mmCIF file of all heavy atoms in Angstrom:
data_model
loop_
_atom_site.group_PDB
_atom_site.id
_atom_site.type_symbol
_atom_site.label_atom_id
_atom_site.label_comp_id
_atom_site.label_asym_id
_atom_site.label_seq_id
_atom_site.Cartn_x
_atom_site.Cartn_y
_atom_site.Cartn_z
ATOM 1 N N VAL A 296 3.996 -20.330 6.545
ATOM 2 C CA VAL A 296 4.884 -20.106 5.410
ATOM 3 C C VAL A 296 4.534 -21.040 4.257
ATOM 4 O O VAL A 296 4.478 -20.636 3.103
ATOM 5 C CB VAL A 296 6.368 -20.282 5.832
ATOM 6 C CG1 VAL A 296 7.274 -20.317 4.626
ATOM 7 C CG2 VAL A 296 6.775 -19.164 6.770
ATOM 8 N N LEU A 297 4.265 -22.296 4.563
ATOM 9 C CA LEU A 297 3.918 -23.260 3.516
ATOM 10 C C LEU A 297 2.565 -22.954 2.887
ATOM 11 O O LEU A 297 2.354 -23.191 1.712
ATOM 12 C CB LEU A 297 3.912 -24.685 4.076
ATOM 13 C CG LEU A 297 5.287 -25.240 4.445
ATOM 14 C CD1 LEU A 297 5.132 -26.591 5.127
ATOM 15 C CD2 LEU A 297 6.180 -25.366 3.239
ATOM 16 N N GLY A 298 1.635 -22.425 3.671
ATOM 17 C CA GLY A 298 0.302 -22.136 3.158
ATOM 18 C C GLY A 298 0.220 -20.842 2.371
ATOM 19 O O GLY A 298 -0.675 -20.676 1.545
ATOM 20 N N ALA A 299 1.155 -19.946 2.554
ATOM 21 C CA ALA A 299 1.083 -18.634 1.896
ATOM 22 C C ALA A 299 1.070 -18.726 0.378
ATOM 23 O O ALA A 299 0.227 -18.108 -0.258
ATOM 24 C CB ALA A 299 2.231 -17.738 2.384
ATOM 25 N N PRO A 300 1.947 -19.502 -0.259
ATOM 26 C CA PRO A 300 1.903 -19.560 -1.720
ATOM 27 C C PRO A 300 0.600 -20.146 -2.244
ATOM 28 O O PRO A 300 0.131 -19.773 -3.297
ATOM 29 C CB PRO A 300 3.083 -20.464 -2.089
ATOM 30 C CG PRO A 300 3.996 -20.406 -0.931
ATOM 31 C CD PRO A 300 3.101 -20.201 0.268
ATOM 32 N N LEU A 301 0.000 -21.059 -1.514
ATOM 33 C CA LEU A 301 -1.253 -21.651 -1.960
ATOM 34 C C LEU A 301 -2.360 -20.600 -1.998
ATOM 35 O O LEU A 301 -3.168 -20.578 -2.907
ATOM 36 C CB LEU A 301 -1.658 -22.805 -1.037
ATOM 37 C CG LEU A 301 -0.704 -23.997 -1.027
ATOM 38 C CD1 LEU A 301 -1.135 -25.013 0.015
ATOM 39 C CD2 LEU A 301 -0.610 -24.632 -2.386
ATOM 40 N N ALA A 302 -2.378 -19.733 -1.019
ATOM 41 C CA ALA A 302 -3.413 -18.705 -0.981
ATOM 42 C C ALA A 302 -3.226 -17.698 -2.112
ATOM 43 O O ALA A 302 -4.186 -17.160 -2.627
ATOM 44 C CB ALA A 302 -3.393 -17.993 0.374
ATOM 45 N N GLN A 303 -1.978 -17.453 -2.511
ATOM 46 C CA GLN A 303 -1.719 -16.477 -3.561
ATOM 47 C C GLN A 303 -1.983 -17.033 -4.955
ATOM 48 O O GLN A 303 -2.105 -16.297 -5.906
ATOM 49 C CB GLN A 303 -0.262 -16.018 -3.485
ATOM 50 C CG GLN A 303 0.042 -15.239 -2.231
ATOM 51 C CD GLN A 303 1.529 -14.962 -2.092
ATOM 52 O OE1 GLN A 303 2.339 -15.437 -2.872
ATOM 53 N NE2 GLN A 303 1.889 -14.207 -1.082
ATOM 54 N N GLY A 304 -2.048 -18.359 -5.084
ATOM 55 C CA GLY A 304 -2.169 -18.966 -6.388
ATOM 56 C C GLY A 304 -3.565 -18.945 -6.976
ATOM 57 O O GLY A 304 -3.737 -19.239 -8.143
ATOM 58 N N ALA A 305 -4.574 -18.643 -6.181
ATOM 59 C CA ALA A 305 -5.949 -18.697 -6.664
ATOM 60 C C ALA A 305 -6.219 -17.586 -7.672
ATOM 61 O O ALA A 305 -5.775 -16.456 -7.521
ATOM 62 C CB ALA A 305 -6.915 -18.585 -5.499
ATOM 63 N N ILE A 306 -6.944 -17.939 -8.716
ATOM 64 C CA ILE A 306 -7.335 -16.974 -9.736
ATOM 65 C C ILE A 306 -8.612 -16.285 -9.285
ATOM 66 O O ILE A 306 -9.530 -16.931 -8.792
ATOM 67 C CB ILE A 306 -7.550 -17.692 -11.086
ATOM 68 C CG1 ILE A 306 -6.204 -18.168 -11.617
ATOM 69 C CG2 ILE A 306 -8.259 -16.801 -12.086
ATOM 70 C CD1 ILE A 306 -6.289 -18.934 -12.908
ATOM 71 N N ASN A 307 -8.668 -14.967 -9.457
ATOM 72 C CA ASN A 307 -9.889 -14.245 -9.096
ATOM 73 C C ASN A 307 -10.471 -13.562 -10.329
ATOM 74 O O ASN A 307 -9.804 -13.404 -11.349
ATOM 75 C CB ASN A 307 -9.618 -13.247 -7.955
ATOM 76 C CG ASN A 307 -8.661 -12.156 -8.355
ATOM 77 O OD1 ASN A 307 -8.898 -11.438 -9.330
ATOM 78 N ND2 ASN A 307 -7.581 -12.000 -7.617
ATOM 79 N N CYS A 308 -11.722 -13.170 -10.205
ATOM 80 C CA CYS A 308 -12.420 -12.588 -11.358
ATOM 81 C C CYS A 308 -11.813 -11.270 -11.825
ATOM 82 O O CYS A 308 -11.884 -10.956 -13.016
ATOM 83 C CB CYS A 308 -13.905 -12.425 -11.040
ATOM 84 S SG CYS A 308 -14.782 -14.010 -11.018
ATOM 85 N N GLY A 309 -11.223 -10.530 -10.924
ATOM 86 C CA GLY A 309 -10.563 -9.284 -11.329
ATOM 87 C C GLY A 309 -9.437 -9.550 -12.315
ATOM 88 O O GLY A 309 -9.288 -8.840 -13.313
ATOM 89 N N GLU A 310 -8.641 -10.591 -12.033
ATOM 90 C CA GLU A 310 -7.553 -10.957 -12.942
ATOM 91 C C GLU A 310 -8.102 -11.427 -14.283
ATOM 92 O O GLU A 310 -7.584 -11.049 -15.337
ATOM 93 C CB GLU A 310 -6.733 -12.091 -12.338
ATOM 94 C CG GLU A 310 -5.922 -11.718 -11.134
ATOM 95 C CD GLU A 310 -5.222 -12.925 -10.568
ATOM 96 O OE1 GLU A 310 -5.826 -13.626 -9.748
ATOM 97 O OE2 GLU A 310 -4.075 -13.168 -10.981
ATOM 98 N N VAL A 311 -9.126 -12.272 -14.238
ATOM 99 C CA VAL A 311 -9.718 -12.803 -15.471
ATOM 100 C C VAL A 311 -10.255 -11.653 -16.319
ATOM 101 O O VAL A 311 -9.989 -11.570 -17.517
ATOM 102 C CB VAL A 311 -10.836 -13.825 -15.155
ATOM 103 C CG1 VAL A 311 -11.585 -14.238 -16.410
ATOM 104 C CG2 VAL A 311 -10.256 -15.045 -14.448
ATOM 105 N N THR A 312 -10.986 -10.750 -15.688
ATOM 106 C CA THR A 312 -11.580 -9.618 -16.398
ATOM 107 C C THR A 312 -10.517 -8.724 -17.018
ATOM 108 O O THR A 312 -10.627 -8.337 -18.184
ATOM 109 C CB THR A 312 -12.467 -8.795 -15.446
ATOM 110 O OG1 THR A 312 -13.464 -9.655 -14.901
ATOM 111 C CG2 THR A 312 -13.140 -7.645 -16.158
ATOM 112 N N SER A 313 -9.470 -8.425 -16.254
ATOM 113 C CA SER A 313 -8.437 -7.529 -16.791
ATOM 114 C C SER A 313 -7.671 -8.175 -17.949
ATOM 115 O O SER A 313 -7.326 -7.501 -18.913
ATOM 116 C CB SER A 313 -7.482 -7.074 -15.692
ATOM 117 O OG SER A 313 -6.691 -8.138 -15.225
ATOM 118 N N LYS A 314 -7.426 -9.472 -17.861
ATOM 119 C CA LYS A 314 -6.697 -10.152 -18.932
ATOM 120 C C LYS A 314 -7.535 -10.283 -20.200
ATOM 121 O O LYS A 314 -7.009 -10.277 -21.306
ATOM 122 C CB LYS A 314 -6.236 -11.527 -18.463
ATOM 123 C CG LYS A 314 -5.077 -11.458 -17.489
ATOM 124 C CD LYS A 314 -4.663 -12.825 -17.024
ATOM 125 C CE LYS A 314 -3.461 -12.796 -16.126
ATOM 126 N NZ LYS A 314 -3.603 -12.068 -14.904
ATOM 127 N N LEU A 315 -8.854 -10.409 -20.043
ATOM 128 C CA LEU A 315 -9.717 -10.631 -21.202
ATOM 129 C C LEU A 315 -10.450 -9.376 -21.672
ATOM 130 O O LEU A 315 -11.182 -9.435 -22.660
ATOM 131 C CB LEU A 315 -10.713 -11.749 -20.893
ATOM 132 C CG LEU A 315 -10.071 -13.092 -20.531
ATOM 133 C CD1 LEU A 315 -11.126 -14.158 -20.328
ATOM 134 C CD2 LEU A 315 -9.073 -13.528 -21.581
ATOM 135 N N ALA A 316 -10.240 -8.249 -21.023
ATOM 136 C CA ALA A 316 -10.884 -6.995 -21.432
ATOM 137 C C ALA A 316 -10.607 -6.648 -22.897
ATOM 138 O O ALA A 316 -11.512 -6.172 -23.592
ATOM 139 C CB ALA A 316 -10.472 -5.856 -20.503
ATOM 140 N N PRO A 317 -9.402 -6.884 -23.422
ATOM 141 C CA PRO A 317 -9.162 -6.566 -24.837
ATOM 142 C C PRO A 317 -10.013 -7.405 -25.805
ATOM 143 O O PRO A 317 -10.082 -7.095 -26.994
ATOM 144 C CB PRO A 317 -7.671 -6.874 -25.030
ATOM 145 C CG PRO A 317 -7.072 -6.828 -23.671
ATOM 146 C CD PRO A 317 -8.161 -7.277 -22.740
ATOM 147 N N CYS A 318 -10.646 -8.460 -25.317
ATOM 148 C CA CYS A 318 -11.462 -9.328 -26.176
ATOM 149 C C CYS A 318 -12.883 -8.789 -26.372
ATOM 150 O O CYS A 318 -13.571 -9.187 -27.323
ATOM 151 C CB CYS A 318 -11.571 -10.731 -25.569
ATOM 152 S SG CYS A 318 -9.991 -11.554 -25.315
ATOM 153 N N ILE A 319 -13.331 -7.910 -25.497
ATOM 154 C CA ILE A 319 -14.737 -7.484 -25.500
ATOM 155 C C ILE A 319 -15.154 -6.834 -26.819
ATOM 156 O O ILE A 319 -16.201 -7.187 -27.365
ATOM 157 C CB ILE A 319 -15.046 -6.601 -24.273
ATOM 158 C CG1 ILE A 319 -14.942 -7.467 -23.013
ATOM 159 C CG2 ILE A 319 -16.438 -5.980 -24.381
ATOM 160 C CD1 ILE A 319 -15.067 -6.724 -21.714
ATOM 161 N N PRO A 320 -14.389 -5.906 -27.380
ATOM 162 C CA PRO A 320 -14.820 -5.330 -28.668
ATOM 163 C C PRO A 320 -14.992 -6.401 -29.760
ATOM 164 O O PRO A 320 -15.940 -6.345 -30.543
ATOM 165 C CB PRO A 320 -13.705 -4.346 -29.028
ATOM 166 C CG PRO A 320 -13.076 -3.989 -27.724
ATOM 167 C CD PRO A 320 -13.179 -5.232 -26.877
ATOM 168 N N TYR A 321 -14.089 -7.374 -29.787
ATOM 169 C CA TYR A 321 -14.202 -8.456 -30.769
ATOM 170 C C TYR A 321 -15.485 -9.266 -30.526
ATOM 171 O O TYR A 321 -16.207 -9.596 -31.469
ATOM 172 C CB TYR A 321 -12.979 -9.371 -30.681
ATOM 173 C CG TYR A 321 -13.105 -10.630 -31.518
ATOM 174 C CD1 TYR A 321 -12.870 -10.608 -32.886
ATOM 175 C CD2 TYR A 321 -13.481 -11.846 -30.934
ATOM 176 C CE1 TYR A 321 -12.990 -11.762 -33.654
ATOM 177 C CE2 TYR A 321 -13.606 -12.994 -31.694
ATOM 178 C CZ TYR A 321 -13.372 -12.947 -33.046
ATOM 179 O OH TYR A 321 -13.505 -14.088 -33.809
ATOM 180 N N LEU A 322 -15.760 -9.570 -29.259
ATOM 181 C CA LEU A 322 -16.924 -10.389 -28.922
ATOM 182 C C LEU A 322 -18.249 -9.665 -29.138
ATOM 183 O O LEU A 322 -19.290 -10.304 -29.258
ATOM 184 C CB LEU A 322 -16.826 -10.870 -27.471
ATOM 185 C CG LEU A 322 -15.661 -11.818 -27.179
ATOM 186 C CD1 LEU A 322 -15.567 -12.105 -25.690
ATOM 187 C CD2 LEU A 322 -15.786 -13.100 -27.980
ATOM 188 N N LYS A 323 -18.203 -8.349 -29.187
ATOM 189 C CA LYS A 323 -19.422 -7.569 -29.445
ATOM 190 C C LYS A 323 -19.584 -7.236 -30.921
ATOM 191 O O LYS A 323 -20.613 -6.722 -31.333
ATOM 192 C CB LYS A 323 -19.407 -6.268 -28.629
ATOM 193 C CG LYS A 323 -19.670 -6.478 -27.161
ATOM 194 C CD LYS A 323 -19.779 -5.134 -26.459
ATOM 195 C CE LYS A 323 -20.389 -5.273 -25.101
ATOM 196 N NZ LYS A 323 -20.729 -3.991 -24.515
ATOM 197 N N GLY A 324 -18.581 -7.543 -31.714
ATOM 198 C CA GLY A 324 -18.620 -7.226 -33.142
ATOM 199 C C GLY A 324 -19.348 -8.285 -33.943
ATOM 200 O O GLY A 324 -19.855 -9.273 -33.400
ATOM 201 N N PRO A 325 -19.374 -8.090 -35.258
ATOM 202 C CA PRO A 325 -20.099 -9.013 -36.134
ATOM 203 C C PRO A 325 -19.378 -10.345 -36.337
ATOM 204 O O PRO A 325 -19.963 -11.301 -36.832
ATOM 205 C CB PRO A 325 -20.179 -8.246 -37.458
ATOM 206 C CG PRO A 325 -18.991 -7.342 -37.437
ATOM 207 C CD PRO A 325 -18.784 -6.983 -35.992
ATOM 208 N N GLY A 326 -18.102 -10.431 -35.959
ATOM 209 C CA GLY A 326 -17.348 -11.665 -36.147
ATOM 210 C C GLY A 326 -16.674 -11.681 -37.497
ATOM 211 O O GLY A 326 -16.898 -10.829 -38.349
ATOM 212 N N GLY A 327 -15.837 -12.657 -37.692
ATOM 213 C CA GLY A 327 -15.152 -12.785 -38.959
ATOM 214 C C GLY A 327 -13.859 -12.000 -39.038
ATOM 215 O O GLY A 327 -13.039 -12.281 -39.888
ATOM 216 N N GLY A 328 -13.680 -11.028 -38.163
ATOM 217 C CA GLY A 328 -12.447 -10.246 -38.177
ATOM 218 C C GLY A 328 -11.352 -10.933 -37.395
ATOM 219 O O GLY A 328 -11.544 -11.993 -36.800
ATOM 220 N N ALA A 329 -10.209 -10.311 -37.420
ATOM 221 C CA ALA A 329 -9.066 -10.847 -36.684
ATOM 222 C C ALA A 329 -9.239 -10.603 -35.187
ATOM 223 O O ALA A 329 -9.751 -9.565 -34.773
ATOM 224 C CB ALA A 329 -7.778 -10.194 -37.172
ATOM 225 N N VAL A 330 -8.814 -11.576 -34.395
ATOM 226 C CA VAL A 330 -8.837 -11.429 -32.941
ATOM 227 C C VAL A 330 -7.690 -10.495 -32.562
ATOM 228 O O VAL A 330 -6.555 -10.682 -33.030
ATOM 229 C CB VAL A 330 -8.672 -12.791 -32.243
ATOM 230 C CG1 VAL A 330 -8.646 -12.631 -30.735
ATOM 231 C CG2 VAL A 330 -9.788 -13.743 -32.658
ATOM 232 N N PRO A 331 -7.950 -9.470 -31.741
ATOM 233 C CA PRO A 331 -6.872 -8.559 -31.339
ATOM 234 C C PRO A 331 -5.732 -9.315 -30.643
ATOM 235 O O PRO A 331 -5.991 -10.185 -29.807
ATOM 236 C CB PRO A 331 -7.555 -7.594 -30.366
ATOM 237 C CG PRO A 331 -9.013 -7.700 -30.668
ATOM 238 C CD PRO A 331 -9.242 -9.095 -31.158
ATOM 239 N N PRO A 332 -4.489 -8.997 -30.981
ATOM 240 C CA PRO A 332 -3.342 -9.670 -30.343
ATOM 241 C C PRO A 332 -3.373 -9.583 -28.810
ATOM 242 O O PRO A 332 -3.000 -10.550 -28.140
ATOM 243 C CB PRO A 332 -2.126 -8.939 -30.921
ATOM 244 C CG PRO A 332 -2.602 -8.394 -32.227
ATOM 245 C CD PRO A 332 -4.058 -8.060 -32.018
ATOM 246 N N ALA A 333 -3.806 -8.445 -28.268
ATOM 247 C CA ALA A 333 -3.862 -8.302 -26.809
ATOM 248 C C ALA A 333 -4.874 -9.263 -26.196
ATOM 249 O O ALA A 333 -4.700 -9.734 -25.070
ATOM 250 C CB ALA A 333 -4.209 -6.864 -26.427
ATOM 251 N N CYS A 334 -5.928 -9.577 -26.937
ATOM 252 C CA CYS A 334 -6.925 -10.539 -26.488
ATOM 253 C C CYS A 334 -6.295 -11.927 -26.392
ATOM 254 O O CYS A 334 -6.407 -12.611 -25.371
ATOM 255 C CB CYS A 334 -8.114 -10.536 -27.441
ATOM 256 S SG CYS A 334 -9.329 -11.841 -27.142
ATOM 257 N N CYS A 335 -5.633 -12.351 -27.453
ATOM 258 C CA CYS A 335 -4.981 -13.668 -27.450
ATOM 259 C C CYS A 335 -3.892 -13.749 -26.385
ATOM 260 O O CYS A 335 -3.723 -14.783 -25.732
ATOM 261 C CB CYS A 335 -4.403 -13.990 -28.825
ATOM 262 S SG CYS A 335 -5.658 -14.458 -30.031
ATOM 263 N N SER A 336 -3.185 -12.665 -26.190
ATOM 264 C CA SER A 336 -2.156 -12.636 -25.151
ATOM 265 C C SER A 336 -2.779 -12.875 -23.778
ATOM 266 O O SER A 336 -2.253 -13.652 -22.972
ATOM 267 C CB SER A 336 -1.423 -11.302 -25.182
ATOM 268 O OG SER A 336 -0.497 -11.216 -24.126
#
């Protein structure tokens, strides 16, 4: 029971990718534009 929350707390690449997916169009663009709000979120 004590170890269960520790195992759930680890960040995985699937989470990172899904949270930062809205940033990809900005990162592939020429730059200088506004960062999409969903990216910053």
